[in-house]
């Protein structure tokens, strides 16, 4: 029995994808902020990749200075609301909260953060503005967390900034990739509109930077270029039958889900291949779209999955079943997916080995491959002198400068795929790096 | 089962819990409901001269998420017709003959006092409480705290009342005075049978930051009111103690101020009260709180093996001493129970910034450590620690020595100059002032600076 019936209206969609971290009301924010101990050299700050002064912003909420609280948050992290909602707080700030050691529920830092920033966004509070113009121009490629954060910081340093974005909307995977029960499209885009209103950078949509010619034009026109291009499409598995209809990549599946919402179609029996956070998301999402059976197939044992514990619990909670120690051999079916042929595996000395003679076909009508995103190596090779490491990540120094001095980078393209908060935090540093470079 | 009943200066009551003269005792309806719920007595909302109240009357003090830790009002005495109140007193007494109904009174002239005492006596009141406490409105008309602050006038009015009163007379004292025992003594000299304290404390509970007016706001303006609720208990306890310890006051005391549960009541009783009165808590939570109060008091008495309230009235008084009588040889030092510590480091920052720099941070753990030789045993760290029993104050002297300031003074052994070896501060270590610089800056840096590794 499916836990969810297929949503057909916006309201049903909103119910099936109800927010995990709904907006607090004033009373809840007051109660929760009252609990914060105002720890000295607070461990929650240390656990936040963007180093938000958490006890300070919570105390500001508690004393009724919600605007000041939003300022504290945005000073450290331009994706303040998005991070409050989508950060894996269980393993970051909230996981570090001292209350955990007392077996008391940690402070709901993420929701408090969203409470303060949402208020600023809703009232369009003027908190920041561009710095005095310094006559220099920076191009930002990609309007994701990295690109937009860099644009904000660069504007505050006085640069003229143009952002080139391939897609139709800003915020990158925040709106195209993160699970809809973490943040709604409206929420993600409202923060982007707010930031653009504060800092006044230009964004050109449907403006992919593709080849050498494009890049050369940017190099000539701009003093520096920031690469916030993230990762690419889902990597191919190289399995026979991978091209059948209804065998899709997780990133593509989720992007379609986020754009089409209630119009999204899902199979009745879905197999998700993978054991990372994206696999958990895709499985949860398929279940919430009304799939009757969702199987999560992973090559190793349950304990070895890369996904966070709480992400797996979330998937289990919506009825997703695990199929462990199996490797896919082939996607079977005619034009359409009809099943996956698996072979059982065993982990010997840490290595996955197929167990001969254990092949079986698991029937399904949809396969979602959550087996990682490809790097944009092809595009990056058009940048002269730009070095990539052996995993396809852009090589850069502590200030985000790449081996082509005119280019800077941060976010997934550089760290290989982390969280929104990492991209946002690292982009601020890279913007400072550009400042240092152009001030020489 | 212990016996909770009291005989307070001749006023009998099934338990020591009375409703104080205030809105909860405004009508026969409320008082009957309260008695039905389990209250032992009620001091009727003050009867007296005709008044008019303003609209918007109360203000509150909230602490973080806690509402009404303090409460104030600018209300006057009963605005209902005297005849209605008297009729209802009669009705209540008929229905609840064993409960205490006390008429609270406030008028001006001798004749008025005589009249109102006789009228309420005839209505069946078990006693009187003279309201010399109200710190707003009534005092501007020469009543309430205007009387309570003038011991001579207070005494004179008590004498007028005693001329006609056939039931016990309680004088309710205002705390808006520097020595509470002065009006207490005046009450005694005037012949009163008991005192009750405290009435509300003159206060402004807050200022509206947008309207630039104190709370409660009446058409854009406000006035000082009377403060009460949990926040005033410490002040009330001290004043109750002062009256209870004074060798010449020697009157039964009805304790009032910040009582909300059985513990608060027991504290008042241990410091000398033999009945207690409650207002704010009943206004906040309703009459139902009486069940918890009675049950808590009973349980306490069972555990302590007290048969009656009088077994512990004033039991803490012998231990409330003057500072000069305290044993200076007693020595406690803070001890951190590491297994309980959650690493908030509040103790560290409290002692470092607010006390004696006797706690240090340690590498590799968030649990701080006490620097024994610097710890003066002030308690601060144990008070700020959020974990129960995590920091305890451990006794370090062997208990064999006893020396008070008074004994030292009497023996001519007190320090007379700062460098005297006997002086307290000689061995009080403090760091060099300049050692403070830069110590705080690297902590809690805003994200930007932290990310850049600045600072
Ligand atoms: C399925 C999924 C779920 C996730 N869930 C979470 C989560 O719950 N919480 C969390 O914190 N993180 C999550 N993440 C990770 C997070 O989304 C990323 O770490 C973050 O978005 C990285 O930001 P970025 O700016 O580096 O890249 P992106 O967000 O990928 O943004 C890159 C942008 O650049 C644009 N672009 C790329 N190439 C070009 C080009 N050549 N020209 C012009 N534009 C270009 C893209 O269209 C995109 O808008 C998730 C990721 C995935 C895939
Ligand atoms: C431990 C302690 C010692 C104090 N010592 C003094 C003092 O030496 N001189 C003084 O004028 N007030 C002294 N005070 C009173 C405070 O200055 C202040 O008036 C009072 O604490 C009320 O303010 P608060 O509510 O912010 O604490 C002391 C207070 C405390 C808590
Ligand atoms: S660790 Fe928890 S209690 Fe301490 S400051 Fe951070 S949120 Fe507040
Ligand atoms: S008792 Fe006082 S002096 Fe001693 S460690 Fe605690 S705060 Fe510091
Ligand atoms: S206040 Fe208590 S819990 Fe916090 S660090 Fe000190 S000892 Fe540990």
């Amino acid at each position: 029995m499916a836990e969810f019936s297929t949503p057909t209206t916006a309201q049903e969609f909103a119910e099936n994808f109800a927010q995990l971290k709904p907006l607090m009301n004033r009373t809840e924010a007051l109660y929760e902020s009252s609990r914060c101990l105002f720890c000295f050299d607070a461990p929650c700050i240390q656990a936040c990749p963007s180093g938000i002064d958490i006890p300070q912003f919570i105390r500001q909420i508690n004393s009724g200075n919600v605007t000041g609280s939003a300022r504290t948050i945005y000073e450290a992290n331009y994706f303040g609301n998005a991070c409050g909602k989508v950060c894996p707080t269980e393993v970051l700030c909230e996981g570090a909260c001292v209350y955990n050691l007392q077996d008391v529920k940690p402070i709901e830092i993420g929701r408090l953060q969203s409470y303060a920033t949402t208020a600023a966004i809703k009232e369009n509070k003027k908190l920041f503005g561009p710095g005095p113009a310094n006559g220099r121009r920076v191009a930002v490629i990609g309007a994701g967390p990295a690109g937009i954060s860099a644009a904000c910081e660069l504007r505050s340093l006085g640069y003229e900034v143009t952002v080139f974005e391939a897609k139709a909307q800003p915020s990158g995977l925040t709106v195209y990739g993160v699970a809809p029960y973490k943040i709604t499209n409206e929420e993600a885009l409202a923060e982007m509109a707010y930031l653009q209103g504060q800092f006044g950078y230009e964004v050109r949509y449907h403006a992919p930077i593709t080849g050498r010619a494009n890049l050369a034009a940017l190099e000539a026109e701009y003093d520096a270029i920031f690469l916030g291009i993230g990762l690419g499409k889902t990597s191919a598995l190289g399995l026979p039958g991978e091209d059948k209809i209804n065998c899709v990549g997780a990133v593509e599946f989720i992007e379609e889900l986020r754009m089409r919402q209630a119009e999204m179609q899902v199979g009745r029996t879905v197999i998700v291949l993978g054991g990372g956070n994206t696999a958990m998301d895709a499985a949860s999402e398929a279940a919430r779209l009304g799939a009757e059976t969702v199987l999560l197939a992973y090559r190793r044992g349950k304990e070895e999955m890369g996904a966070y514990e709480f992400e797996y619990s979330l998937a289990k909670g919506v009825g997703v079943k695990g199929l462990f120690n199996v490797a896919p051999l082939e996607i079977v079916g005619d034009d359409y997916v009809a099943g996956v042929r698996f072979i059982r595996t065993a982990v010997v000395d840490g290595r996955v080995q197929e167990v001969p003679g254990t092949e079986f076909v698991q029937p399904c009508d949809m396969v979602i491959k959550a087996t990682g995103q490809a790097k944009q190596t092809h595009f990056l090779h058009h940048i002269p002198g730009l070095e990539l490491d052996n995993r396809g990540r852009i090589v850069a120094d502590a200030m985000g400068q790449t081996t082509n001095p005119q280019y800077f980078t941060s976010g997934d393209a550089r760290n290989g795929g982390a969280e929104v908060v990492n991209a946002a935090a690292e982009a601020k540093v890279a913007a400072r790096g550009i400042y240092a470079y152009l001030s020489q | 089962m212990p016996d909770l009943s009291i005989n307070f200066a001749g006023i009998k009551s099934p338990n020591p819990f009375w409703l104080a003269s205030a809105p909860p005792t405004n009508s026969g309806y409320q008082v009957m409901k309260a008695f039905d719920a389990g209250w032992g007595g009620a001091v009727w909302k003050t009867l007296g001269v005709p008044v008019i109240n303003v609209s918007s009357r109360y203000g509150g003090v909230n602490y973080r998420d806690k509402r009404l830790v303090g409460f104030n009002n600018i209300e006057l005495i009963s605005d209902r017709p005297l005849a209605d109140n008297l009729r209802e007193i009669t009705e209540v007494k008929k229905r609840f003959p064993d409960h205490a109904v006390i008429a609270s009174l406030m008028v001006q002239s001798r004749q008025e006092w005589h009249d109102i005492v006789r009228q309420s006596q005839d209505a069946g009141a078990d006693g009187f409480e003279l309201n010399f406490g109200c710190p707003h409105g009534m005092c501007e008309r020469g009543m309430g705290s205007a009387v309570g602050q003038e011991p001579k006038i207070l005494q004179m009015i008590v004498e007028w009342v005693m001329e006609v009163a056939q039931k016990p007379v309680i004088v309710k004292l205002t705390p808006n005075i520097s020595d509470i025992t002065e009006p207490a003594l005046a009450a005694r000299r005037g012949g009163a049978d008991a005192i009750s304290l405290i009435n509300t404390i003159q206060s402004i509970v807050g200022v509206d930051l947008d309207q630039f007016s104190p709370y409660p706001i009446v058409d854009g303006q406000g006035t000082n009111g009377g403060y009460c609720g949990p926040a005033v208990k410490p002040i009330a306890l001290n004043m109750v103690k002062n009256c209870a310890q004074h060798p010449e006051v020697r009157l039964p005391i009805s304790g009032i101020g910040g009582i909300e549960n059985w513990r608060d009541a027991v504290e008042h009783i241990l410091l000398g009260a033999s009945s207690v009165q409650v207002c704010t808590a009943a206004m906040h939570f309703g009459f139902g709180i009486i069940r918890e109060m009675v049950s808590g008091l009973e349980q306490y008495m069972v555990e302590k093996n007290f048969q009656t309230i009088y077994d512990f009235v004033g039991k803490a008084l012998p231990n409330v001493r003057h500072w000069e009588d305290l044993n200076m040889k007693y020595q406690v030092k803070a001890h951190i129970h590491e297994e309980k510590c959650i690493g908030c480091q509040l103790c560290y920052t409290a002692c470092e910034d607010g006390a004696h720099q006797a706690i240090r941070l340690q590498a590799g753990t968030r649990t701080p450590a006490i620097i024994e030789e610097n710890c003066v045993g002030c308690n601060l760290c144990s008070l700020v620690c959020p974990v129960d029993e995590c920091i305890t104050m451990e006794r370090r002297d062997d208990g064999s020595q006893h020396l008070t300031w008074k004994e030292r003074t009497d023996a001519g052994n007190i320090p007379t100059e700062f460098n005297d070896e006997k002086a307290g501060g000689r061995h009080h270590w403090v760091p060099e002032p300049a050692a403070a610089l830069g110590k705080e800056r690297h902590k809690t840096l805003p994200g930007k600076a932290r990310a850049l590794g600045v600072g």
Side-chain angles (χ1 to χ4, degrees), chain A residues 2-347:
Chain A
E3 305 265 332
F4 294 90
S5 54
T6 304
T8 54
T9 63
Q11 172 160 0
E12 283 170 9
F13 185 86
E15 281 166 14
N16 282 15
F17 290 87
Q19 294 300 297
L20 290 181
K21 294 185 178 172
L23 186 64
M24 282 181 170
N25 61 33
R26 232 175 100 170
T27 306
E28 199 177 5
L30 175 68
Y31 284 10
E32 192 60 8
S33 59
S34 291
R35 294 203 304 130
C36 174
L37 297 167
F38 203 70
C39 296
F40 181 78
D41 193 22
C44 51
I45 306 180
Q46 293 172 8
C48 171
S50 59
I52 298 174
D53 191 341
I54 293 163
Q56 164 81 354
F57 92 68
I58 294 179
R59 207 173 164 84
Q60 287 170 311
I61 291 175
N62 198 256
S63 69
N65 182 8
V66 180
T67 305
S69 179
R71 180 192 294 277
T72 301
I73 295 160
Y74 280 126
E75 268 173 0
N77 182 340
Y78 294 118
F79 275 59
N81 186 35
C83 283
K85 299 210 73 180
V86 312
C87 268
T89 51
E90 290 85 341
V91 296
L92 297 176
C93 54
E94 293 176 20
C97 176
V98 296
Y99 273 121
N100 290 295
L101 293 167
Q102 209 178 351
D103 293 326
V104 173
K105 193 168 76 78
I107 302 293
E108 291 193 58
I109 300 168
R111 289 183 67 209
L112 285 168
Q113 186 171 312
S114 293
Y115 172 78
T117 48
T118 302
I121 294 169
K122 277 198 182 139
E123 293 167 31
N124 198 18
K125 285 270 182 209
K126 184 73 188 155
L127 294 180
F128 302 97
N134 60 23
R136 299 201 175 229
R137 312 178 67 197
V138 180
V140 170
I141 308 178
I148 294 295
S149 299
C152 293
E153 189 78 354
L154 287 165
R155 285 296 289 147
S156 77
L157 292 168
Y159 295 97
E160 199 179 304
V161 177
T162 312
V163 183
F164 297 88
E165 168 57 50
K167 295 191 171 146
Q169 289 175 326
S171 86
L173 288 171
T174 318
V175 76
Y176 289 110
V178 173
Y181 42 79
K182 292 189 182 160
I183 189 167
T184 65
N185 296 10
E186 294 71 31
E187 287 167 333
L189 297 176
E191 187 162 51
M192 294 304 103
Y194 174 67
L195 292 177
Q196 197 174 3
Q198 301 276 310
F199 290 101
Y201 43 82
E202 187 197 345
V203 190
R204 299 199 191 145
Y205 295 106
H206 305 295
I209 302 299
T210 47
R212 182 60 217 148
N214 275 175
L215 288 165
L218 294 185
E219 287 164 11
E221 204 180 331
Y222 295 90
D223 297 291
I225 299 165
F226 176 85
L227 294 167
I229 59 172
L231 302 173
K233 295 190 185 323
T234 304
S235 325
L237 281 177
L239 292 179
E242 206 175 336
D243 53 353
K244 291 193 195 309
I245 299 173
N246 262 13
C247 175
V248 297
V251 181
E252 293 72 23
F253 170 77
I254 297 167
E255 177 172 340
E256 192 186 343
L257 161 72
R258 295 227 47 161
M259 293 304 111
R260 295 183 60 195
Q261 308 260 315
E263 272 139 46
M264 180 72 181
Q265 304 288 319
V266 73
R268 292 167 70 104
T269 304
V270 179
I271 294 179
V272 178
L273 302 174
N277 289 319
T278 300
M280 302 305 136
D281 281 1
S284 278
E285 287 156 351
R288 288 166 200 261
L289 282 170
E292 277 166 28
T293 308
V294 181
L295 285 175
L296 191 68
Y298 182 54
R299 291 181 309 140
R300 294 167 178 257
K302 169 161 61 187
E303 308 70 33
E304 291 172 275
M305 288 197 298
Y308 297 126
E309 187 76 36
F310 65 87
E311 294 282 15
Y312 178 48
S313 305
L314 204 61
K316 275 196 300 191
V318 293
V320 172
K321 298 273 177 295
L323 185 60
F324 298 104
N325 297 306
V326 293
L329 297 175
E330 183 192 355
I331 314 293
V332 299
D334 300 330
D335 293 345
Y336 282 84
V337 167
V340 178
R341 194 152 57 80
F342 287 105
I343 184 163
R344 298 207 184 272
T345 62
V347 180

Side-chain angles (χ1 to χ4, degrees), chain A residues 386-405:
Chain A
L386 188 85
E387 241 178 75
L388 305 182
D389 69 7
N390 56 7
R391 288 160 63 190
R393 298 177 299 193
I394 303 172
V395 174
D397 68 10
M399 299 307 278
Q401 190 168 31
T402 70
T403 48
N404 177 329

